[in-house]
Amino acid sequence: GTVHWVRVLTFDSAPAVSKPPRGVTYEPLAHLERIHDLSWAPDMGRSYHLVATASRDRTVKVWAIRQATSADAAGGPGGEAGGSIWTVQCKAELPHHAQVWRVSWNKCGSMLASSVDDGSMHVYKMDAKGGWEQVSFIEPAHTSDAELVTSAHS
């Protein structure tokens, strides 16, 4: 079947048990269609992780993943205090004109590029308030342009 979500897991070194181990949680990351690509932004000292997903549903979504410490995360009464849980929040939904195949971050994690089914590319930049704006759109090369490049190198 088709999967329209991403599972985010954490690792707990405790031995396997019959129920899900403490510290392993996931949140569905909703897209309407199949996810083609996922990219983690470089860790630049943020208090959270940024993840981008590219989908057949013509969107790129940017997700903030934060670790929160909570006594309740240990499994309720009798559990160990100080367990950790992860929260996932959609920070941006960036619409595209066709299905999106790839996403890639710059080295600082402040810019995000996406490639679209027709060969075009979008470049987005995060502003000071955490919003996203498109700063560049690169159209695909036309056949005549490609022929010129090919003939110039022959």
Side-chain angles (χ1 to χ4, degrees), residues 38-114:
L38 179 142
S39 180
W40 289 80
D43 181 6
M44 298 302 293
R46 287 185 212 86
S47 61
Y48 57 92
H49 298 280
L50 278 179
V51 176
T53 52
S55 176
R56 184 176 176 174
D57 68 6
R58 300 178 178 193
T59 65
V60 166
K61 293 188 179 184
V62 179
W63 306 92
I65 302 176
R66 291 181 169 80
Q67 184 176 18
T69 303
S70 168
D72 297 332
E80 297 175 23
S84 63
I85 59 173
W86 293 85
T87 61
V88 179
Q89 179 184 22
C90 184
K91 300 301 282 181
E93 183 172 334
L94 309 172
H96 288 65
H97 60 279
Q99 64 181 313
V100 187
W101 285 96
R102 299 285 306 216
V103 284
S104 183
W105 296 92
N106 70 337
K107 289 188 185 263
C108 298
S110 61
M111 295 183 80
L112 179 66
S114 60

Side-chain angles (χ1 to χ4, degrees), residues 3 6-7 14 16 26 38 47 52-53 86 94-95 118 124 135 140 144 148:
V3 177
V6 174
R7 185 174 288 181
Y26 75 94
L38 179 142
S47 61
T53 52
W86 293 85
L94 309 172
D118 68 354
Y124 296 89
V135 294
S144 58
L148 288 173

